[in-house]
Amino acid sequence: MNRLAARPGEWIDRSQRIAFSFEGHAHHGYQGDTLTSALIASGVRTLGRSFKYHRPRGALSVANHDANAIVQIRRAGRSIPNQRADLLPIAEGLEAFAVNTQGGLARDRRRHLDRLSAYLPVGFYYKAFHSKRLFPYWERLFRNLTGLGAVDLDAPRVVTPKRHEFADVAVIGAGPAGLAAAVAAADAGAEVVLVDENPRIGGSATYALASETASAQRVADLIGSVTSHPRIRRFVTTVATGLYADHLLALVTQDRLLKLRAGSVIIAQGAFEQPAVFRNNDLPGVMLASGAQRLMHRYAVAPASRVGILGANVHAYRAALDARAAGIEVSVLLDLRERPGPQSLPLAETLRAQGVRVLNGTGVYAAHRGGSGDIDSIELAEWREGAWRRSSANAIAVDGLWMSVGFAPADALLRQAGAVVQYDARACQFVPGVLPPGLFACGKVNGVFDLDARVADGQRAGTAAALHCGFESRSCFGVGAPDQETATHPYPIVEHPEGMNFVDFDEDLQLKDFANAVQEGFDNAELLKRFTTVGMGLSQGKHSNANALRVLAQLRGMPLDSIAQTTARPMFQSVPMSHLAGRGFSPERRTPVDADHESLGAVWMPAGNWRRPAYYRRDRLTREESIAAEVRALRGGIGLIDVGTLGKIEAHGSQAGEFLDRVYTGHFGSLKVGMTRYGLMLDESGVIVDDGVIARLAPEVFYFTTTTGNSAALFRELVRLATWWRMPVSLVNLTGHFAAFNLAGPRSREALARLTSLALDDAAFPYLGVREAKIANVPARLLRVGFVGELGYEIHVPSGSAAEVWNAIRTAGADFGITLIGVEAQRMLRLEKAHIIVGQDTDGLTNPFEIGADWAVKMDKPFFIGQRSLAIIAKNAPRQQLVGFALEPGRYAGIRECHLVIRDGDIAGRVTSVGQSPTLGRTIGLALVTPAAARDATLSIRIDGGAQVAAPIVPLPFYDPAGARQRIDSGGARS
Amino acid sequence: MKILTCPINGPRPITEFAYGGELREMPDPARATDAEWTDYVFNRNSVPSTKCEWWCHTSSGVWFIAVRDTASDVTLRTFLYARSAGGAP
C-alpha cells in the first residue's frame, strides 16, 4: 500500500511476488526487497523493540546497520537468530519474528519499561553487579529482560571453507569515489577488486542524486566503465570487515569469509548519515533522510505520506524534492542553519515555489506519538541564548520525520590499519591525516561531498594506489574544488527536561546519561564508552559515536580535535560465527599402524599432535584392570609398544659428534660406533628441555630420538644452533619416515630371533647396543633399550614397510603370548623403574641435579648448552629434589598427580607421577619436594578434599634396583 | 596477517614462520663472571628499537636473520646468517 509506481533503476523485480510472514502476519513483497522494505511497503513501520526500554522502533538507515530491526527467522526447518531486517532478502515462506520481546512485538509485556527509565540510570550494570550477594539476582533479571535472538541448539554443525583472493589494488566502497578510483587504478594496469556491501554498485548515487539529472548520468557512465573494464572484478553483497597487516582484508559474503591480499588498499566507504538528537527521536516514522531515499529509489517504497524534514545541508533539500516527486507531502523543512549554503538556496526557492514551508534556524524540540505509537507531530526548537530551546510556534502534524543534519566518515578500516585521523572544523568531521604506506582514502571519508570533487579524489587515489604497486600512469589528477557547503552540523543536539532524546539507539542511551557519566568521572572517550556502553551495540556506534564525541566535547568544554576517539578494531560489521569456524589447520598425525590399533581396541589419547593408544579395551575389564593386564603381560613374557611418535633425527658430518657434545650434557664424540647413550638436553639456564637416546651408526653418522611432543620444535632449534655455530652438520628429520616399535619383556629375544639372522646374544648385541639388520626382510635399526626395565629392543623401520614388520613381530610373538601395550601401561612400567618423563617429572625450572641425573651431566666437557648456568646452580643450595614414595601394599589413598606435599603447614612440593603398580602391588609415585622434605622419612600429601596422607619415602627405583633384567642400568628415556 | 620475506622462498605469510629469539652474542662462558652470565641468560632489552632476530621458514626449514624495527613493526631486511661474517650483514 506504500509501494510507489515503478521507477527507473529500482532494485525490485515486480514480476516475482513473494509471500512471507512477520510476527505471524502474512505479507507480500517482491524479489529484491529486504524485510524492512517489504514491511514498510505493507504499512508496517514498527519493526522491533529497543534493547533496554522496549520502546517500539522502526527503520533508521536502511543501510544494513539498523540495530533495532533485528529478527529471528525460520527457514527450511532452521531457526536463525539476529538477522538484520534491512539486509535480509525476503524469500518465499520466510517467517520472521522481532527479537527481545515477551509476547510479540505489538503486545510486548515489557513495553512499559521506559516509564521506569529513571530507575535504570547509566552505569546501572556496574552499580548493580557491584554487590556479590545480589549478583545472581541481577544476572537472572537482566538475562531475562534484555538480549537478542535465541540460538537454535539443533543447528547443524557447519564447516565453512575460506576463500583466498589476490589483487593489486583493492577498492572498498563502490560509490562515485570508489568507482573513479577503480577505473583510474585499472587504467594504469593494476588488477583491481572493487568491494561493496550492496547488491549493486553506485553507492549513494543510487539514491541521493535522483533530483540531479546531470550528476546521475555521470555516475551511470562511471558504472559502465567499471562494468566493462577487463581488469576490474566486482565483489558485491560483500562487506569488508577487517583490514589487517600488510593489506590483508577480511571480506564477508553471505556464505563465507574471503581473505583478500592486496598490494594497496583504497578506502572509499563513504559516510554514515547521523541522527539529530531531540526528545522522541526514536519514534517509528523518524528516520535518516538517506534511509528514506534508499526506500524510495531502491525499493519504490514511500515511508510516509506527510513528512517533516530536519536538515542542515543540501541533502535535506534533495530529500524534500525526492519526497515531492514521489507524491509525498512535505509539511515543513526545518534547516538548523540560519543561513543555508549556496547549493541549498536555489533548492529552497524551488520548494517554496511549490508551497513547502522552509524555516531557517529552526530545529525539532520534540516529536510526539499518536494513537498508533508512531510519530504524529513535531514541536519546533529555536536557537536562543546559546542553546536550542522550545519555540512558541505551533506543533506541526506529520507522519514521518527525515533527518539530514550530518555525516560521520566510515573510516573504521582506515583506523584499524593505523591511520591517524584529525577533526576538520570546516567539514565538521574527522578526516584521515597521515596514512600508512599503501593505504589510500577518497571521497566522503576525506570529507569530500560534492560529486565532481569525489570523482577527482577517487581518480587521485586510484592513480596513487596503482603507482604504489609499481604501475605507471601518465594521468595526473589534481585535488578537486572544495565543497560549496558543509554537509555536517557541528551540534544537532537538543536538550529536553523529560529526556528520551536518544544518542545511541542500539543501547538506549539518552543525552542525560552522558552528563551523568561525565559527572561520575568517565570523561574520556574510552571510559565513556565502557561506562555507558555507547557504540557497543549491534551497529558498533555507526550512528552514535559521532554524536557521543560531540556531547563529550560539549560537556567538557573542549574542542573536538582534542577528544581522542576510541580504538577501531575488527570486526567492523557483525559476522556469523559459522563464517569464522572452519577446519583446523593442525593436522593430527598417525603412525603407520594406526588402523591396526583401532581394530585391536585402542582407546586413544593425544600425544603432541599425534594420537596414541592409551590402552587396549579388554572384555569385562575396567580401564585400570586393562592397563594392569598389559603391565603384567610385558613383565611376565613379551609386550609390543608402538613408539613411532618419538622424534627421530640423523646427524651427519665430521663434526656431528662435537655438535651433539654441545647440545647434550653427556659425551657423544667418544661414543663407540654400534653403541647408544642416554642424553639430556638443557636450555641456557640449565633447565631440562628434552631427553633421548643417541646411537652412533658410523663414525660420522648419529641417529637419535627426542620426546614426542617436542620433536618439531627441537629439530628446528638444532638446525638453528648448527647455523649459529657455523658447524657443518647435516641434520635430517626422520620422524615421519621411520616407524618404531619397542619389543620388550623376558621373551622378546626369543621372538626377535625368529625374524632376523642377527646374533642377539649379549656378547654380540649388548645392552645399549645399536645394530642395523634385516627384520622380516626389511632393513631395520635395532636399539637395545631399557626404558620399561626389561630386556627390550627398539625396532626402527621405514614407514612404508612398517605394517609388514609389525605384523611379522605379532606373528612371531604369538607363541610367547605377545601383548600390545598402551601409553598408560608404558608409563607405569617406566615409573616402576623411576625413569623420568621430561615435562611430567620435571617442570620449567628443573635442572638435572634435582632429579638425580648428575651422572648424565659431564661438567668436564669444554662446552654444552646450560653448562655455565649449572656451574652457578651447583654453588647454591638445591631448590628441590625428586624422591620416590610408596604406600603399604594394598593401600589405596587417592593420591593423584599434582597433589601437594605439605610440610609444617607449607607447600613443600608436588606429586609428579603416581599409580598402582601391578608388579609391586602397591601405590608408588615420584614427587619433586624441598630438600628438607626429601630428608624426612615420610611425605605428607594433601589429596582431593583436603585430607593428608602419610607416604613413606623409599629408595629408587622401585623395581629391579640392580638393573639385572635389562642387564645394565644406565637409565633410559622414553616418553 | 603480516608477510615476511624469506631469503630463499620470498614473501610468505607470517603463519609459515617461527620466531627464534634475538640474535645475541654469547659471552665466553670461561671468562664471564656469574653476574655477566646471568644477565646474558635472563635479561632481554624490550625497548622498541631495531632488532636482529632469528626467524625460521618452517615449511622449508630455512633459518635467517630479520632486521626489524619493533617501534614501527616494519621488517627492514632479511638475510641468511651463514652468508654473513660474524653475524653482521
Side-chain angles (χ1 to χ4, degrees), chain B residues 14-84:
Chain B
I14 197 75
T15 45
E16 292 183 13
F17 294 88
Y19 175 62
E22 204 179 329
L23 173 66
R24 301 182 312 143
E25 191 140 337
M26 186 178 77
D28 180 351
R31 281 193 282 179
T33 65
D34 286 0
E36 284 163 355
W37 184 260
T38 306
D39 179 63
Y40 163 72
V41 169
F42 291 107
N43 292 332
R44 302 288 184 280
N45 183 355
S46 61
V47 175
S49 61
T50 301
K51 303 270 188 200
C52 286
E53 297 167 340
W54 284 103
W55 283 87
C56 180
H57 183 242
T58 53
S59 332
S60 63
V62 176
W63 276 105
F64 60 93
I65 304 297
V67 182
R68 213 162 61 82
D69 180 351
T70 58
S72 62
D73 195 20
V74 170
T75 305
L76 302 172
R77 64 211 163 95
T78 58
F79 55 90
L80 291 177
Y81 177 82
R83 300 250 169 100
S84 61

Side-chain angles (χ1 to χ4, degrees), chain A residues 961-972:
Chain A
R965 298 183 71 90
Q966 79 242 29
R967 301 290 155 154
I968 305 164
D969 184 8
S970 297

